[in-house]
């Protein structure tokens, strides 16, 4: 770093330079490149043989039209919405329940149970799916011959892996928020005759609403992009297609069938959906955290 | 606090609620939760001790006698490629998390403590990265890395994971909570340069927060599957997640390989769980406020 860098005006930009360079190289350029690819396509002339027979040309919104008209992609969206709704409801429900239970008086084994329930956070999604995947196999399952990986059950079995992996982190976020509430509020409520259940319902849960929204939006973004779990489970069952989730279809388009352009268009659609969902959350949370410096 | 004011009117039946209406129930709920989370981990640890025959015949939680031979088999698999996967993962997660923590800390500190034109724009852009689906980035990143001949190298996995929006967000919150502006002003009056202020005044106060950022990013990279899965073709550069996946893809139809996969899964958990348990006090998740206690 040069000697006379301590001119206050330039300093913040110098300090931010590494982050800005990384942002441009690994976010802005790839996003721009995806947007570019999404409006291109290959034009094949003649038999498509030899140099110059395949040209990349401007395609307008054709790839988007194809993505929106693609029945398999819609089916993927429907599967992921069903899966995501299930994961979100169960995972956040359990996370809230556990956080409230941890925050009650006279709870035993609080430390042990808190650490245990948070533990799956440290387990890679691939490892979690492998463990549950083997537990689902009739030849190994302690639950007998139940068809966990049949067409009807596989969504629930996959949701179980996500709930198992995600509940602890969300529980800890909610619990940390609860710990920051001054205890006086509860004392005041007790003096007014409120029971623990009323305190939970009328003070704690309203206090947790912003944190629940925050964890909810992060979970929605994660479930829209589900890829690791179905991909890892696929070798163990034939009920998960290579296009089970939209992300898996993008991967297949890009790397198996080699249609980068439609993969790019589908990527942009997923990005747009994530952004729309996230903006609501930013509006709710942003000013709360950074209202002042 | 509207919630409190509504409670200032006690309802008649509220008195009936005792101070401990749930008794043992909260503990019971939490213990059930812990059993559910520990169940598959316990299973994989026990299953890794079983020999090929025992895996399919003995009761689920009966320890077996095959741990040593399972380990020997795993380490002999394709000339010990499993060791390489473990080592690669340590390189990706360790190197990436160190770089990521450095970039996050100085960025969060700058965004918290300097007022300058474009601050909000830069912050929103950097944080907005959290919302960009990983695949939107991973595929063009792969193509761009291919262009410059860096696809299928360590760099292709390491570099894209340095910028960590959540780490910058945390660093900004920690700086706001931990470093009073007056302290920096006093340093400036004493003639300290801005870099020295950051190194000698801010960094020591930010160290606990930096450990937290390091841990989050370490776990995120360790657990990442999509990026290395897309970037890498040579299995000597795989991290554990991709390695285990290929092991499963190769062995799913051969129950004789299950021992190998199960033992590999078990071993992949050990380093992270050890880190997780020893670093307990740094796992803070104050996402929405500056409630940092050190």
């Amino acid at each position: 770093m040069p000697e006379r860098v301590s001119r206050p005006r330039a300093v913040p930009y110098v300090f931010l330079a590494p982050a800005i360079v990384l942002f441009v190289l690994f976010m802005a350029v790839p996003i721009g490149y995806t947007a570019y690819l999404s409006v291109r396509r290959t034009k094949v002339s003649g038999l498509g043989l030899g140099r110059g027979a395949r040209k990349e040309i401007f395609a307008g919104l054709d790839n988007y039209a194809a993505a929106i008209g693609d029945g398999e992609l819609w089916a993927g969206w429907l599967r992921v919405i069903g899966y995501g709704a299930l994961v979100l409801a169960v995972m956040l429900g359990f996370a809230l329940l556990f956080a409230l239970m941890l925050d009650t008086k006279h709870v035993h084994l609080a430390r042990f149970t808190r650490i245990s329930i948070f533990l799956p956070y440290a387990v890679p999604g691939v490892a979690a799916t492998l463990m549950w995947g083997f537990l689902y196999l009739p030849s190994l399952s302690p639950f007998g011959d139940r068809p966990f990986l049949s067409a009807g059950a596989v969504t629930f079995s996959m949701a179980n892996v996500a709930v198992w992996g995600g509940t602890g982190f969300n529980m800890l976020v909610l619990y940390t928020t609860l710990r920051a509430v001054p205890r006086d509020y509860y004392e005041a409520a007790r003096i007014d005759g409120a029971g623990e259940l009323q305190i939970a319902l009328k003070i704690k849960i309203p206090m947790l609403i912003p944190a629940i929204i925050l964890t909810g939006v992060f979970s929605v973004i994660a479930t829209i992009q589900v890829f690791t779990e179905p991909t890892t489970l696929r070798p163990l069952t034939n009920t998960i297609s290579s296009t089970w989730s939209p992300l898996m279809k993008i991967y297949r388009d890009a790397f198996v069938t080699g249609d980068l352009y439609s993969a790019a268009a589908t990527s942009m659609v997923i990005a747009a959906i994530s952004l729309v969902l996230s903006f609501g959350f930013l509006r709710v949370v942003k000013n709360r955290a950074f209202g002042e410096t | 606090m509207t919630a409190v004011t509504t409670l200032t009117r006690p309802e008649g039946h509220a008195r009936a609620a005792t101070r401990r209406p749930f008794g043992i129930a909260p503990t019971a709920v939490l213990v059930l939760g812990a059993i559910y989370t520990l169940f598959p981990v316990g299973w994989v640890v026990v299953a890794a001790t079983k020999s090929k025959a025992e895996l399919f015949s003995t009761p689920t939680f009966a320890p077996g006698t095959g741990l040593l031979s399972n380990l020997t088999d795993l380490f002999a698999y394709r000339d010990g490629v499993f060791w390489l996967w473990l080592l690669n993962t340590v390189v990706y997660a360790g190197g990436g998390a160190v770089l990521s923590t450095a970039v996050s800390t100085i960025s969060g500190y700058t965004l918290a403590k300097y007022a300058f034109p474009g601050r909000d724009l830069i912050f929103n852009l950097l944080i907005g990265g959290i919302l960009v689906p990983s695949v939107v980035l991973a595929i063009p990143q792969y193509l761009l890395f291919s262009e410059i001949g860096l696809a299928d190298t360590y760099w292709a996995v390491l570099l894209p994971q340095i910028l960590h929006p959540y780490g910058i967000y945390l660093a900004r919150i920690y700086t706001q909570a931990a470093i009073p502006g007056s302290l920096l002003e006093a340093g400036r009056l004493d003639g300290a340069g801005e870099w020295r202020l950051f190194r000698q005044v801010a960094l020591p106060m930010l160290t606990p927060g930096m450990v937290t950022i390091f841990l989050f990013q370490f776990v995120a990279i360790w657990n990442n599957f999509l990026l290395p899965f897309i970037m890498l073709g040579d299995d000597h550069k795989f991290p554990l997640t991709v390695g285990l996946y290929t092991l499963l893809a190769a062995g799913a139809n051969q129950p004789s390989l299950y021992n190998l996969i199960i033992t590999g899964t078990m071993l992949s958990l050990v380093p992270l769980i050890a880190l997780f348990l020893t670093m307990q006090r740094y796992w803070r998740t104050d996402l929405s406020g500056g409630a940092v206690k050190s």
Side-chain angles (χ1 to χ4, degrees), chain A residues 13 15 19 26 34 101 106 108 116 118 121-122 124 134 142 160 164 176 192-193 202 214 225 231-232 235 247 250 267 293, chain B residues 3 10 14 20 26-27 36-37 43 60 107 110 112 117 125 133-136 139-141 216 223 245 248 252 272 276 285 287:
Chain A
Y13 302 105
F15 283 3
F26 298 113
T34 307
M101 295 295 115
H106 314 296
H108 301 284
S116 302
F118 186 39
Y121 178 75
F134 281 122
N160 173 56
W164 182 83
T176 312
D192 287 337
K202 293 191 174 165
L214 186 123
Q225 302 180 44
T231 304
T232 311
L247 217 70
I250 293 178
S267 299
T293 303
Chain B
R20 292 176 59 186
T27 307
Y36 166 65
T37 45
W43 175 80
T60 307
S107 306
T110 308
L125 280 176
S134 45
V135 75
V136 175
I139 290 175
Q141 278 168 354
F216 272 114
N223 293 351
Y245 169 78
L248 177 72
L272 265 202
F276 179 86
T285 50
L287 292 166

Side-chain angles (χ1 to χ4, degrees), chain B residues 64-150:
Chain B
T65 56
L67 180 62
L68 275 179
S69 69
N70 286 339
L71 290 173
T72 320
D73 287 353
L74 181 65
F75 295 143
Y77 177 73
R78 312 230 355 250
D79 299 329
V81 76
F82 186 88
W83 279 123
L84 208 52
W85 295 341
L86 189 64
L87 193 70
N88 289 339
T89 312
V90 171
V91 170
Y92 294 133
V98 164
L99 292 170
S100 177
T101 306
V103 172
S104 298
T105 305
I106 193 162
S107 306
Y109 165 81
T110 308
L111 290 163
K113 287 300 163 195
Y114 291 89
F116 53 94
R119 182 179 73 166
D120 289 348
L121 176 71
I122 292 173
F123 179 69
N124 287 337
L125 280 176
L126 292 177
I127 294 301
I130 254 180
L131 310 175
V132 181
S134 45
V135 75
V136 175
L137 297 173
I139 290 175
Q141 278 168 354
Y142 170 78
L143 298 173
L144 294 166
F145 272 110
S146 299
E147 289 286 320
I148 53 174
L150 282 181

Side-chain angles (χ1 to χ4, degrees), chain B residues 181-194 196-197 200-201:
Chain B
S182 55
L183 196 66
L184 298 176
E185 280 311 315
R188 285 194 186 100
L189 288 177
D190 290 341
E194 299 296 319
R196 222 182 117 205
L197 280 179
Q200 298 188 351
V201 178

